[in-house]
Amino acid sequence: MDKQLYLERLVLKLETHVPLPPAEREKLLDLPLALKRFEAGQDIVREGEITKQCCLVAEGLVCRYKIVGDGARQILSLHLPGDIPDIHSLLIERMDHCLGALTPAVVGLIPHDAVRALTRASYRISEAFWRETLIEASIYREWMVGIGRRSAPSRIAHLFCEFITKMTAIGLSDGVTCNLPLTQPEIADALGLSTVHMNKKLREIREAKLVRIRANRLTVLDWKGLCHLAGFDPDYLHLQPGAAKIESD
């Protein structure tokens, strides 16, 4: 496993939001990284744990989630290669939610002390991480609006729009097709829907020829129509101009 490649993914992810000078890129590439593999369904960090390191998603798909009293799971966010979903643990060390692998995943563990030293030495990097945290908050707000006010078909379409836009920004999609390694129960857990209702509404989206999903592969057949159904406006992702421009036919 190539640690340098994984740190380059971190740099790429940060630069989807803000350009970094070469000197700052080199500092990020020098971060210490201990790689660890996780199986699908395995927790990376559990709620209540006190952490001393940040988790860089190197491979696979990771989520934040919470379990409610009756055992039901609510997925709070999805995280792609290059993300550090627990960067907040630099300041809030006790986890108030779980971080888990949705697919087989490789995670790079970066000691808090190393990240703190880097952010103190470089205000540009400190600003980049702060910006990431603020953008995560923006995405949370969009998800809250979706669960609170969007119809089930609109929620599903919005998730697809967001996912392929973010995958395009980090070079893992051509803007038309991408891997979507989510089961229908996992999509339902992210959108606050029952699996049965989610399955019914997903079928309607497919029958409308907006998307095709085969073998964990999402293909957008009608980007404009999918965005219209979702009410999708990518501004809340705060991407650099051109970072994930998807052309409609």
Side-chain angles (χ1 to χ4, degrees), residues 152-153 156 196-206:
I156 298 167
V196 171
H197 191 51
M198 204 286 300
N199 179 275
K200 178 182 177 182
K201 297 306 175 182
L202 177 58
R203 189 183 316 119
E204 292 176 6
I205 293 172
R206 289 163 130 171

Side-chain angles (χ1 to χ4, degrees), residues 2-227:
D2 189 341
K3 295 181 182 181
Q4 194 74 8
L5 172 62
Y6 297 146
L7 288 168
E8 287 172 0
R9 288 177 179 170
L10 168 61
V11 173
L12 174 62
K13 172 59 193 307
L14 292 175
E15 290 201 313
T16 65
H17 298 134
V18 60
L20 291 170
E24 268 59 39
R25 291 183 202 140
E26 290 303 316
K27 290 173 184 176
L28 287 163
L29 294 174
D30 284 339
L31 281 169
L33 195 68
L35 299 175
K36 187 172 180 179
R37 289 189 177 276
F38 292 88
E39 298 302 320
Q42 185 177 356
D43 282 337
I44 299 166
V45 186
R46 292 186 178 91
E47 185 173 355
E49 288 185 357
I50 295 176
T51 63
K52 298 296 181 183
Q53 55 203 5
C54 294
C55 300
L56 168 66
V57 182
E59 295 180 11
L61 184 62
V62 166
C63 73
R64 289 192 184 110
Y65 74 92
K66 286 185 75 78
I67 301 294
V68 297
D70 63 358
R73 176 179 64 173
Q74 178 65 52
I75 290 177
L76 305 170
S77 57
L78 301 174
H79 295 279
L80 307 174
D83 284 354
I84 302 182
D86 60 347
I87 192 68
H88 65 276
S89 66
L90 287 170
L91 299 174
I92 305 175
E93 293 183 345
R94 186 182 295 277
M95 288 288 282
D96 57 24
H97 59 276
C98 295
L99 193 65
L102 288 172
T103 67
V106 176
V107 171
L109 305 175
I110 310 173
H112 281 172
D113 287 347
V115 182
R116 288 193 185 102
L118 181 56
T119 56
R120 288 167 183 162
S122 170
Y123 77 90
R124 289 183 183 274
I125 291 174
S126 180
E127 283 185 348
F129 283 139
W130 178 227
R131 183 185 293 268
E132 287 295 303
T133 302
L134 293 174
I135 292 171
E136 285 296 329
S138 175
I139 294 171
Y140 276 142
R141 290 190 289 273
E142 196 69 25
W143 278 43
M144 184 180 294
V145 169
I147 290 175
R149 292 299 177 184
R150 290 191 179 103
S151 67
S154 179
R155 289 185 221 178
I156 298 167
H158 201 279
L159 179 67
F160 291 162
C161 289
E162 178 181 298
F163 194 83
I164 200 164
T165 298
K166 291 169 70 175
M167 289 284 275
T168 302
I170 61 172
L172 295 180
S173 170
D174 59 3
V176 176
T177 186
C178 71
N179 287 328
L180 183 71
L182 288 168
T183 66
Q184 292 194 16
E186 288 166 347
I187 295 174
D189 285 351
L191 300 179
L193 301 170
S194 71
T195 303
V196 171
H197 191 51
M198 204 286 300
N199 179 275
K200 178 182 177 182
K201 297 306 175 182
L202 177 58
R203 189 183 316 119
E204 292 176 6
I205 293 172
R206 289 163 130 171
E207 289 173 351
K209 300 189 184 306
L210 299 178
V211 302
R212 180 174 63 241
I213 302 175
R214 291 178 184 166
N216 292 328
R217 191 92 180 149
L218 168 68
T219 300
V220 176
L221 304 176
D222 180 355
W223 175 250
K224 185 176 180 180
L226 189 68
C227 289

